[in-house]
Short mmCIF file of all heavy atoms in Angstrom, two decimals:
data_model
loop_
_atom_site.label_atom_id
_atom_site.label_comp_id
_atom_site.label_asym_id
_atom_site.label_seq_id
_atom_site.Cartn_x
_atom_site.Cartn_y
_atom_site.Cartn_z
N GLY A 1 94.75 -124.20 -166.17
CA GLY A 1 93.94 -122.99 -166.17
C GLY A 1 92.50 -123.20 -165.76
O GLY A 1 91.61 -122.48 -166.25
N VAL A 2 92.24 -124.15 -164.85
CA VAL A 2 90.88 -124.41 -164.39
C VAL A 2 90.78 -123.99 -162.92
O VAL A 2 91.51 -124.52 -162.07
CB VAL A 2 90.51 -125.90 -164.52
CG1 VAL A 2 89.07 -126.13 -164.08
CG2 VAL A 2 90.74 -126.39 -165.94
N PRO A 3 89.91 -123.07 -162.57
CA PRO A 3 89.76 -122.67 -161.17
C PRO A 3 89.28 -123.84 -160.31
O PRO A 3 88.47 -124.66 -160.75
CB PRO A 3 88.71 -121.56 -161.22
CG PRO A 3 88.67 -121.12 -162.64
CD PRO A 3 89.02 -122.31 -163.47
N THR A 4 89.77 -123.90 -159.08
CA THR A 4 89.40 -125.00 -158.18
C THR A 4 89.09 -124.47 -156.78
O THR A 4 89.72 -124.86 -155.79
CB THR A 4 90.52 -126.04 -158.09
OG1 THR A 4 91.74 -125.38 -157.70
CG2 THR A 4 90.73 -126.74 -159.42
N PRO A 5 88.11 -123.55 -156.65
CA PRO A 5 87.84 -122.96 -155.33
C PRO A 5 87.36 -123.98 -154.29
O PRO A 5 87.64 -123.81 -153.10
CB PRO A 5 86.75 -121.93 -155.63
CG PRO A 5 86.11 -122.40 -156.90
CD PRO A 5 87.21 -123.02 -157.69
N VAL A 6 86.65 -125.01 -154.71
CA VAL A 6 86.14 -125.98 -153.74
C VAL A 6 87.29 -126.78 -153.13
O VAL A 6 87.45 -126.83 -151.90
CB VAL A 6 85.13 -126.94 -154.40
CG1 VAL A 6 84.62 -127.96 -153.37
CG2 VAL A 6 83.97 -126.17 -155.01
N ASN A 7 88.10 -127.38 -153.98
CA ASN A 7 89.18 -128.22 -153.46
C ASN A 7 90.29 -127.41 -152.81
O ASN A 7 90.92 -127.89 -151.86
CB ASN A 7 89.73 -129.10 -154.59
CG ASN A 7 88.82 -130.27 -154.88
OD1 ASN A 7 88.77 -131.24 -154.12
ND2 ASN A 7 88.07 -130.18 -155.97
N GLU A 8 90.51 -126.18 -153.27
CA GLU A 8 91.50 -125.33 -152.60
C GLU A 8 91.03 -124.97 -151.20
O GLU A 8 91.82 -124.98 -150.24
CB GLU A 8 91.76 -124.08 -153.42
CG GLU A 8 92.63 -123.03 -152.73
CD GLU A 8 94.06 -123.49 -152.45
OE1 GLU A 8 94.40 -124.66 -152.72
OE2 GLU A 8 94.83 -122.67 -151.93
N THR A 9 89.75 -124.67 -151.04
CA THR A 9 89.23 -124.35 -149.70
C THR A 9 89.34 -125.57 -148.79
O THR A 9 89.78 -125.45 -147.63
CB THR A 9 87.76 -123.91 -149.79
OG1 THR A 9 87.68 -122.72 -150.59
CG2 THR A 9 87.18 -123.63 -148.42
N LEU A 10 88.96 -126.73 -149.29
CA LEU A 10 89.06 -127.94 -148.47
C LEU A 10 90.50 -128.24 -148.11
O LEU A 10 90.80 -128.63 -146.97
CB LEU A 10 88.44 -129.12 -149.22
CG LEU A 10 86.93 -129.04 -149.46
CD1 LEU A 10 86.48 -130.18 -150.37
CD2 LEU A 10 86.16 -129.07 -148.15
N ARG A 11 91.41 -128.07 -149.05
CA ARG A 11 92.83 -128.31 -148.78
C ARG A 11 93.35 -127.39 -147.69
O ARG A 11 93.98 -127.82 -146.72
CB ARG A 11 93.64 -128.10 -150.06
CG ARG A 11 95.13 -128.42 -149.92
CD ARG A 11 95.94 -127.82 -151.07
NE ARG A 11 96.01 -126.37 -151.00
CZ ARG A 11 96.82 -125.70 -150.19
NH1 ARG A 11 97.63 -126.35 -149.37
NH2 ARG A 11 96.83 -124.38 -150.18
N ARG A 12 93.04 -126.09 -147.83
CA ARG A 12 93.54 -125.11 -146.86
C ARG A 12 92.96 -125.34 -145.47
O ARG A 12 93.68 -125.31 -144.46
CB ARG A 12 93.20 -123.69 -147.32
CG ARG A 12 94.00 -123.21 -148.51
CD ARG A 12 93.86 -121.72 -148.67
NE ARG A 12 94.57 -121.23 -149.83
CZ ARG A 12 94.97 -119.97 -149.97
NH1 ARG A 12 94.72 -119.09 -149.02
NH2 ARG A 12 95.60 -119.58 -151.06
N GLU A 13 91.66 -125.55 -145.41
CA GLU A 13 91.02 -125.71 -144.10
C GLU A 13 91.43 -127.01 -143.42
O GLU A 13 91.61 -127.04 -142.20
CB GLU A 13 89.50 -125.63 -144.25
CG GLU A 13 89.00 -124.25 -144.60
CD GLU A 13 89.48 -123.19 -143.63
OE1 GLU A 13 89.20 -123.32 -142.41
OE2 GLU A 13 90.16 -122.24 -144.06
N ALA A 14 91.57 -128.07 -144.18
CA ALA A 14 92.01 -129.34 -143.58
C ALA A 14 93.42 -129.19 -143.00
O ALA A 14 93.70 -129.68 -141.89
CB ALA A 14 91.98 -130.45 -144.62
N ASN A 15 94.30 -128.49 -143.71
CA ASN A 15 95.64 -128.27 -143.19
C ASN A 15 95.62 -127.39 -141.94
O ASN A 15 96.35 -127.65 -140.99
CB ASN A 15 96.51 -127.62 -144.27
CG ASN A 15 97.13 -128.65 -145.21
OD1 ASN A 15 97.94 -129.47 -144.80
ND2 ASN A 15 96.74 -128.60 -146.46
N ARG A 16 94.77 -126.38 -141.96
CA ARG A 16 94.68 -125.49 -140.78
C ARG A 16 94.19 -126.26 -139.56
O ARG A 16 94.77 -126.15 -138.47
CB ARG A 16 93.74 -124.32 -141.08
CG ARG A 16 93.56 -123.37 -139.89
CD ARG A 16 92.51 -122.30 -140.16
NE ARG A 16 91.18 -122.87 -140.35
CZ ARG A 16 90.39 -123.25 -139.34
NH1 ARG A 16 90.79 -123.13 -138.07
NH2 ARG A 16 89.18 -123.73 -139.58
N VAL A 17 93.14 -127.03 -139.74
CA VAL A 17 92.57 -127.78 -138.62
C VAL A 17 93.58 -128.79 -138.09
O VAL A 17 93.72 -128.99 -136.88
CB VAL A 17 91.25 -128.46 -139.06
CG1 VAL A 17 90.79 -129.46 -138.02
CG2 VAL A 17 90.17 -127.41 -139.29
N ALA A 18 94.31 -129.45 -139.00
CA ALA A 18 95.33 -130.40 -138.56
C ALA A 18 96.45 -129.69 -137.82
O ALA A 18 96.91 -130.16 -136.77
CB ALA A 18 95.89 -131.16 -139.77
N ARG A 19 96.89 -128.57 -138.36
CA ARG A 19 98.00 -127.81 -137.75
C ARG A 19 97.62 -127.33 -136.34
O ARG A 19 98.45 -127.34 -135.42
CB ARG A 19 98.35 -126.63 -138.64
CG ARG A 19 99.57 -125.85 -138.22
CD ARG A 19 99.96 -124.85 -139.29
NE ARG A 19 98.89 -123.91 -139.61
CZ ARG A 19 98.20 -123.91 -140.75
NH1 ARG A 19 98.45 -124.81 -141.68
NH2 ARG A 19 97.25 -123.01 -140.96
N GLU A 20 96.37 -126.93 -136.19
CA GLU A 20 95.89 -126.44 -134.88
C GLU A 20 95.43 -127.57 -133.98
O GLU A 20 94.99 -127.33 -132.86
CB GLU A 20 94.76 -125.43 -135.10
CG GLU A 20 95.21 -124.17 -135.83
CD GLU A 20 94.08 -123.22 -136.14
OE1 GLU A 20 92.92 -123.49 -135.72
OE2 GLU A 20 94.33 -122.20 -136.81
N ARG A 21 95.53 -128.81 -134.49
CA ARG A 21 95.16 -130.01 -133.73
C ARG A 21 93.72 -129.94 -133.19
O ARG A 21 93.46 -130.29 -132.04
CB ARG A 21 96.16 -130.29 -132.62
CG ARG A 21 97.51 -130.78 -133.16
CD ARG A 21 98.52 -131.06 -132.06
NE ARG A 21 99.63 -131.86 -132.53
CZ ARG A 21 100.65 -131.42 -133.25
NH1 ARG A 21 100.71 -130.12 -133.58
NH2 ARG A 21 101.61 -132.23 -133.64
N LEU A 22 92.83 -129.48 -134.05
CA LEU A 22 91.42 -129.46 -133.71
C LEU A 22 90.80 -130.82 -133.98
O LEU A 22 91.31 -131.62 -134.76
CB LEU A 22 90.70 -128.38 -134.53
CG LEU A 22 91.21 -126.95 -134.35
CD1 LEU A 22 90.44 -125.99 -135.26
CD2 LEU A 22 91.11 -126.52 -132.89
N ALA A 23 89.69 -131.07 -133.33
CA ALA A 23 89.03 -132.37 -133.45
C ALA A 23 88.30 -132.48 -134.78
O ALA A 23 87.94 -131.46 -135.40
CB ALA A 23 88.04 -132.57 -132.30
N PRO A 24 88.04 -133.70 -135.24
CA PRO A 24 87.22 -133.86 -136.45
C PRO A 24 85.84 -133.23 -136.23
O PRO A 24 85.31 -133.22 -135.12
CB PRO A 24 87.09 -135.37 -136.61
CG PRO A 24 88.21 -135.95 -135.81
CD PRO A 24 88.48 -135.00 -134.70
N GLY A 25 85.27 -132.69 -137.30
CA GLY A 25 83.95 -132.08 -137.20
C GLY A 25 83.95 -130.72 -136.53
O GLY A 25 82.95 -130.30 -135.95
N SER A 26 85.07 -130.00 -136.62
CA SER A 26 85.19 -128.69 -135.96
C SER A 26 84.49 -127.57 -136.71
O SER A 26 84.37 -126.46 -136.19
CB SER A 26 86.67 -128.33 -135.77
OG SER A 26 87.30 -129.24 -134.90
N MET A 27 84.07 -127.82 -137.94
CA MET A 27 83.40 -126.80 -138.74
C MET A 27 82.00 -127.28 -139.12
O MET A 27 81.68 -128.47 -139.01
CB MET A 27 84.21 -126.49 -140.00
CG MET A 27 85.59 -125.95 -139.74
SD MET A 27 86.49 -125.54 -141.27
CE MET A 27 85.59 -124.07 -141.80
N THR A 28 81.18 -126.35 -139.59
CA THR A 28 79.86 -126.69 -140.11
C THR A 28 79.90 -126.62 -141.64
O THR A 28 80.73 -125.91 -142.21
CB THR A 28 78.79 -125.73 -139.59
OG1 THR A 28 79.02 -124.43 -140.16
CG2 THR A 28 78.82 -125.64 -138.07
N PRO A 29 78.99 -127.33 -142.31
CA PRO A 29 78.94 -127.21 -143.76
C PRO A 29 78.72 -125.78 -144.23
O PRO A 29 79.30 -125.37 -145.26
CB PRO A 29 77.75 -128.11 -144.14
CG PRO A 29 77.71 -129.13 -143.06
CD PRO A 29 78.09 -128.38 -141.81
N ASP A 30 77.94 -125.00 -143.50
CA ASP A 30 77.70 -123.61 -143.88
C ASP A 30 78.98 -122.79 -143.82
O ASP A 30 79.22 -121.92 -144.68
CB ASP A 30 76.64 -122.98 -142.98
CG ASP A 30 75.23 -123.48 -143.29
OD1 ASP A 30 75.04 -124.07 -144.38
OD2 ASP A 30 74.33 -123.28 -142.45
N GLN A 31 79.81 -123.04 -142.82
CA GLN A 31 81.08 -122.32 -142.73
C GLN A 31 81.98 -122.65 -143.91
O GLN A 31 82.60 -121.75 -144.50
CB GLN A 31 81.79 -122.67 -141.41
CG GLN A 31 81.14 -122.08 -140.17
CD GLN A 31 81.79 -122.58 -138.89
OE1 GLN A 31 82.15 -123.75 -138.78
NE2 GLN A 31 81.95 -121.68 -137.92
N VAL A 32 82.06 -123.92 -144.25
CA VAL A 32 82.90 -124.33 -145.38
C VAL A 32 82.35 -123.74 -146.67
O VAL A 32 83.09 -123.22 -147.51
CB VAL A 32 82.98 -125.86 -145.47
CG1 VAL A 32 83.78 -126.28 -146.70
CG2 VAL A 32 83.62 -126.44 -144.21
N ARG A 33 81.03 -123.81 -146.83
CA ARG A 33 80.41 -123.29 -148.05
C ARG A 33 80.66 -121.79 -148.19
O ARG A 33 80.92 -121.30 -149.30
CB ARG A 33 78.90 -123.56 -148.01
CG ARG A 33 78.13 -123.09 -149.21
CD ARG A 33 78.19 -124.08 -150.33
NE ARG A 33 77.42 -125.27 -150.06
CZ ARG A 33 76.78 -125.95 -151.00
NH1 ARG A 33 76.80 -125.55 -152.25
NH2 ARG A 33 76.14 -127.06 -150.71
N ALA A 34 80.62 -121.05 -147.09
CA ALA A 34 80.86 -119.61 -147.15
C ALA A 34 82.29 -119.31 -147.60
O ALA A 34 82.52 -118.38 -148.38
CB ALA A 34 80.60 -118.99 -145.77
N LEU A 35 83.25 -120.11 -147.15
CA LEU A 35 84.64 -119.91 -147.57
C LEU A 35 84.81 -120.24 -149.05
O LEU A 35 85.55 -119.56 -149.77
CB LEU A 35 85.55 -120.79 -146.73
CG LEU A 35 85.70 -120.40 -145.25
CD1 LEU A 35 86.48 -121.47 -144.48
CD2 LEU A 35 86.40 -119.04 -145.12
#
């Protein structure tokens, strides 16, 4: 019962970037922080 918005966002975005075969560093810290 502990919310985990930081690690859930990182998990989802890392999977998306891998699935779309994007290069490392495809996002900015501000974009990740906004999510």
Side-chain angles (χ1 to χ4, degrees):
V2 183
T4 55
V6 179
N7 283 284
E8 172 64 356
T9 298
L10 294 173
R11 184 197 70 79
R12 288 195 182 203
E13 290 305 302
N15 276 295
R16 178 186 64 80
V17 168
R19 186 171 58 251
E20 296 176 4
R21 289 180 164 78
L22 301 178
S26 296
M27 299 182 71
T28 68
D30 286 345
Q31 288 174 320
V32 176
R33 180 83 72 146
L35 291 172

